[in-house]
Amino acid sequence: MAKLNLEQLRQLRDSKKNDLRRRESVGKDIQIIVAMGTCGIAAGAKNTLEAFIKATDTENLVDTVLIRQTGCMGLCSSEPTVEVVVPGMPTVTYGTVDAKLAGEIVKKHIIGRELLDDHILNQAPAGVR
């Protein structure tokens, strides 16, 4: 490994600190749960997960939104699937979530508190998971 200069070391440190903040679950009521079963991964769930990470970083939501992975949700024909939990709103499962739709979910659902009706596969009443 090449030697790093001081600025590169600082950037690496800041990047790792941000990674740790993203993984912290305490105090995060909002959740984005990406299905990462075999069918989800084959349909592009890894890109979807990365798009959610990028969108929440861009919108400075790292300290308020928990992004996590789960196995198959049983909705193989609609992969990649994503469950979004926001307090005071219905728990929603979105289907066929690509990078573009991930950005819309962050902006419209999480920030704007507006459901994206055209992409909802399943919806539970607020407070029910």
Side-chain angles (χ1 to χ4, degrees):
M1 181 173 171
K3 290 185 179 181
L4 301 177
N5 64 36
L6 185 58
E7 183 56 33
Q8 291 170 320
L9 286 170
R10 286 182 177 143
Q11 289 174 353
L12 180 61
R13 177 197 63 198
D14 292 344
S15 171
K16 296 305 173 188
K17 279 184 178 180
N18 200 35
D19 287 346
L20 290 173
R21 284 178 39 220
R22 187 179 299 112
R23 293 178 186 172
E24 179 61 51
S25 62
V26 176
K28 295 181 179 180
D29 295 333
I30 300 170
Q31 293 186 51
I32 298 170
I33 306 161
V34 181
M36 296 288 282
T38 305
C39 53
I41 293 169
K46 188 173 188 295
N47 292 335
T48 300
L49 179 69
E50 290 170 1
F52 275 113
I53 291 169
K54 183 178 178 184
T56 54
D57 283 352
T58 300
E59 298 294 338
N60 296 316
L61 299 172
V62 173
D63 295 319
T64 57
V65 177
L66 176 63
I67 301 171
R68 61 188 185 95
Q69 303 172 39
T70 190
C72 182
M73 290 185 190
L75 302 165
C76 302
S77 64
S78 300
E79 292 292 351
T81 54
V82 175
E83 185 175 69
V84 179
V85 180
V86 177
M89 293 184 72
T91 296
V92 174
T93 303
Y94 290 108
T96 319
V97 181
D98 59 10
K100 181 181 177 198
L101 182 55
E104 287 181 46
I105 290 169
V106 169
K107 288 182 180 177
K108 292 182 179 175
H109 187 140
I110 293 174
I111 295 172
R113 302 294 201 254
E114 172 188 339
L115 299 179
L116 286 80
D117 293 327
D118 294 346
H119 302 282
I120 294 175
L121 297 176
N122 191 21
Q123 180 175 333
V128 176
R129 255 192 98 221

